[in-house]
Amino acid sequence: MSDENIEDVQSKISFFQGSDDISGGSPIESIKQKIAEFSNVKNVSFLLGAGTSSGAIPSMKSMHEEISKDIKESTELNSTAKTTYKNVLKDNLEDVLNILYAKKSYMQGSTDSENQEQDSVDSLIEYIENKIFTKINIDLSDGVAKDTLDIYKRLYQKTALRNKDLSRINVFTTNNDLCNEKALDNLNINYNNGFGGGLDRVFNPARFHYTFSKKIDANLEKFEPLESMVYLYKLHGSISWVEKEGNSLFNIQEIPVVGGSSKPDSDHVLIYPTPLKQSQSLGSPYSDLIREFQTKLSQQNSVLFIIGYSFSDEHLNNIIYQSLASNSSISIVIFGEYPECPLVKISDSRIYRIFGSTESGEKIHYFEYIVNSLLPDLDENKEKILLDDFVSAFKSVVDSGDKK
């Protein structure tokens, strides 16, 4: 390959620190070295957006288009419901649901609303939510979905096992699917998602502050943290969450969900990240999860890896901005270009951006490439550290002996 062609390949890969391109002559090696360095800081967090599950789950844009078509062709919905949907001038399903819930709330408190119109809005909301559930609750054992699950599994194989002197990793996600839980279960990796109990797994945010340890001396009360452990925060809820009255202070429970089922059972309540619904009945779980996100980013010596997140949730963006304003020791690593994101427009050496294509056309900021080719294996790192420490200590002893 000519020097000109090599230069062209390298120019497709960008590695920025603030506004400075630090890719150098070997951008991939520079990126891997920096990520390996960040992987061994005290507090490591990931923010995973819709892009990480995009191989298996339709994007919100695609889902909106598919559901719009389904509504138009539906025989379940009456003409009033279809007209109501047509009059909602939004191209995002979350915004659509916000408006429909607001309309429902208005009609419930209004004397001039007809029962037929209320029923139409109710049936429209139920229809949309059932469709979303169907498209999210996929069978993860076959096809593209299995391939996506395998990437999640490789992510946790590489990141879950950390030195006991470091904090366990935190995974924050805006996704409602079960890819994270399924991957962790398949790998037999312990994880804390805020739910605990026996037959009834109920939400309790205090669990996020629990440390899981193992006894290392049968005769003494001596413990050490579990090395393989993940803290999982589902910022927008999950298809496995239901709202039920019970003896807990928090009426949110986690239940098994059969992958590939056409719609939620009558007792299942899929929790959607709509501000109106949160304020009505689910404010506490979401606010607690958001608070944990803020707390983790305020910790000293922290790094946040952002993968597949579009920066479309302002409440999460604001927490990232606040962490940069208050925590001088945090680093933010963004996989993607995002030219319109405010973080990109400021020159801050704590903000890194990684994006581009390899010679073969692979997008280096896509979830699969990040996991397979950029993230280090912490097992390998641990062994290398032990060997490096031994060599260093041995050399020190030899040098001191020579001096004598």
Side-chain angles (χ1 to χ4, degrees):
M1 183 183 292
S2 68
D3 290 343
E4 184 180 349
N5 288 335
I6 292 175
E7 206 171 287
D8 181 58
V9 170
Q10 302 292 14
S11 67
K12 294 179 181 178
I13 297 174
S14 297
F15 182 25
F16 284 90
Q17 180 179 13
S19 57
D20 298 326
D21 189 338
I22 59 170
S23 53
S26 302
I28 293 296
E29 289 307 313
S30 299
I31 291 167
K32 290 172 70 173
Q33 182 178 350
K34 179 56 71 172
I35 292 176
E37 176 188 323
F38 280 142
S39 296
N40 284 293
V41 302
K42 177 71 173 177
N43 301 295
V44 172
S45 297
F46 288 83
L47 175 58
L48 306 182
T52 59
S53 295
S54 61
I57 309 295
S59 67
M60 289 301 290
K61 182 178 179 180
S62 297
M63 199 178 294
H64 180 259
E65 292 172 352
E66 292 173 14
I67 292 176
S68 295
K69 183 180 178 182
D70 291 339
I71 290 173
K72 186 177 180 179
E73 299 173 353
S74 172
T75 57
E76 299 175 39
L77 298 171
N78 59 32
S79 59
T80 304
K82 291 183 178 182
T83 301
T84 299
Y85 182 80
K86 186 177 180 180
N87 291 335
V88 178
L89 302 177
K90 294 291 182 180
D91 58 0
N92 181 289
L93 279 175
E94 293 181 18
D95 292 336
V96 169
L97 285 172
N98 284 343
I99 291 172
L100 291 177
Y101 271 108
K103 184 176 179 66
K104 177 180 178 178
S105 180
Y106 167 78
M107 289 189 300
Q108 287 173 341
S110 174
T111 58
D112 60 355
S113 298
E114 297 181 1
N115 290 335
Q116 184 180 359
E117 187 180 11
Q118 291 187 40
D119 292 342
S120 295
V121 173
D122 289 342
S123 62
L124 181 57
I125 291 173
E126 182 181 4
Y127 183 89
I128 293 173
E129 292 187 347
N130 286 347
K131 285 292 183 180
I132 294 176
F133 180 93
T134 301
K135 295 178 187 301
I136 293 176
N137 185 36
I138 57 173
D139 183 356
L140 293 168
S141 63
D142 196 22
V144 177
K146 183 180 181 300
D147 295 339
T148 300
L149 178 64
D150 288 341
I151 301 173
Y152 275 93
K153 288 165 69 174
R154 288 194 292 274
L155 168 70
Y156 288 115
Q157 285 172 328
K158 285 190 169 188
T159 61
L161 186 62
R162 305 193 78 205
N163 186 298
K164 65 175 184 283
D165 295 326
L166 303 175
S167 299
R168 305 306 89 192
I169 69 163
N170 306 294
V171 175
F172 297 90
T173 179
T174 58
N175 298 338
N176 308 104
D177 60 61
L178 300 179
C179 289
N180 288 284
E181 294 92 329
K182 190 70 173 178
L184 290 164
D185 282 344
N186 285 355
L187 296 171
N188 197 30
I189 293 176
N190 297 287
Y191 67 94
N192 181 356
N193 64 349
F195 289 83
L199 295 176
D200 295 329
R201 286 181 53 78
V202 297
F203 180 78
N204 182 354
R207 292 184 61 84
F208 288 126
H209 302 281
Y210 293 176
T211 299
F212 293 82
S213 305
K214 62 182 178 181
K215 197 169 186 178
I216 59 174
D217 192 316
N219 300 315
L220 299 174
E221 291 297 309
K222 192 172 183 181
F223 302 84
E224 68 177 19
L226 291 178
E227 290 181 321
S228 183
M229 181 73 194
V230 173
Y231 287 82
L232 177 63
Y233 306 83
K234 304 195 78 169
L235 299 170
H236 284 176
S238 175
I239 60 172
S240 62
W241 293 8
V242 300
E243 184 183 17
K244 285 186 177 179
E245 294 291 337
N247 297 323
S248 171
L249 292 173
F250 303 91
N251 296 324
I252 306 301
Q253 294 184 14
E254 184 181 39
I255 59 173
V257 176
V258 178
S261 57
S262 59
K263 65 178 182 178
D265 297 335
S266 58
D267 291 336
H268 291 197
V269 180
L270 177 56
I271 300 169
Y272 297 92
T274 61
L276 180 63
K277 194 169 185 181
Q278 289 177 39
S279 64
Q280 286 179 335
S281 59
L282 302 173
S284 179
Y286 285 108
S287 61
D288 288 312
L289 291 164
I290 295 297
R291 190 179 303 113
E292 289 298 324
F293 186 46
Q294 189 171 28
T295 298
K296 295 302 180 183
L297 296 194
S298 68
Q299 293 177 328
Q300 295 297 301
N301 301 315
S302 297
V303 61
L304 175 66
F305 293 106
I306 300 177
I307 306 174
Y309 174 67
S310 64
F311 291 93
S312 60
D313 294 298
E314 284 305 318
H315 59 297
L316 300 183
N317 297 346
N318 288 335
I319 291 174
I320 297 173
Y321 304 155
Q322 290 166 15
S323 70
L324 286 164
S326 60
N327 184 0
S328 61
S329 66
I330 192 172
S331 296
I332 307 291
V333 181
I334 303 170
F335 290 94
E337 188 169 4
Y338 305 111
E340 299 305 316
C341 176
L343 292 179
V344 174
K345 297 178 180 180
I346 61 175
S347 181
D348 191 315
S349 61
R350 295 170 297 167
I351 302 172
Y352 297 79
R353 278 190 304 144
I354 298 167
F355 59 92
S357 302
T358 65
E359 183 180 7
S360 60
E362 294 178 282
K363 301 287 188 181
I364 69 167
H365 51 281
Y366 279 13
F367 189 40
E368 182 175 9
Y369 190 91
I370 295 166
V371 171
N372 290 341
S373 304
L374 297 182
L375 286 179
D377 190 318
L378 294 185
D379 275 336
E380 295 176 356
N381 277 358
K382 188 177 179 182
E383 293 174 3
K384 185 176 185 303
I385 290 169
L386 288 172
L387 290 174
D388 288 347
D389 288 347
F390 170 77
V391 170
S392 177
F394 185 79
K395 186 175 184 302
S396 177
V397 170
V398 171
D399 289 345
S400 62
D402 289 344
K403 290 177 181 178
K404 292 179 181 179

